[in-house]
Amino acid sequence: MQFLSLFLIFLGEFLAVTSEVLFIKGKNTIPLIILMTIAGIFLLYGYYLGYKHLQNLWLIYIVSITAILILEPFIIYYFTGEVPNLGSKIGFGLWTLGFLAAIFIK
């Protein structure tokens, strides 16, 4: 169940970010609303299962943010072709340090 909850969070974040990027690009709104609704259901159920079985909301939160930070650059590049500027690259590097600190420092 722990794996299922993490999978649902990653899938939900993937669908949510995809919906956001496509909306910004001016794609058809109704399918994106449906996609975002499905993403929200996956996220809510993933959070619920994760907290129920892991008993640590911070860990679930870190998984969710990590999913966004891993998936979003690829989704943005795939749909828009945009690349990050220097400030974005520095921010991503600092995020990586924060993520590693959250995982390894007890």
Side-chain angles (χ1 to χ4, degrees):
M1 288 308 243
Q2 295 169 347
F3 177 75
L4 177 61
S5 68
L6 300 180
F7 175 75
L8 287 173
I9 291 170
F10 260 83
L11 183 60
E13 294 295 359
F14 173 78
L15 294 176
V17 170
T18 300
S19 178
E20 293 165 358
V21 171
L22 291 175
F23 182 78
I24 291 169
K25 294 301 285 180
K27 302 298 180 188
N28 193 354
T29 304
I30 299 301
L32 297 179
I33 291 172
I34 294 169
L35 186 63
M36 185 61 88
T37 301
I38 294 168
I41 292 168
F42 285 161
L43 284 169
L44 290 173
Y45 196 60
Y47 266 70
Y48 170 75
L49 283 178
Y51 186 70
K52 182 177 177 183
H53 294 284
L54 296 172
Q55 296 295 313
N56 186 339
L57 190 56
W58 280 102
L59 181 58
I60 300 303
Y61 175 71
I62 289 170
V63 167
S64 179
I65 296 299
T66 301
I68 293 168
L69 292 172
I70 290 172
L71 296 171
E72 196 153 1
F74 294 109
I75 293 169
I76 290 172
Y77 181 74
Y78 180 78
F79 286 110
T80 68
E82 291 182 33
V83 293
N85 60 18
L86 179 59
S88 299
K89 290 176 185 176
I90 292 171
F92 190 80
L94 293 173
W95 159 80
T96 303
L97 292 175
F99 171 73
L100 293 173
I103 295 296
F104 294 113
I105 297 174
K106 301 287 180 190

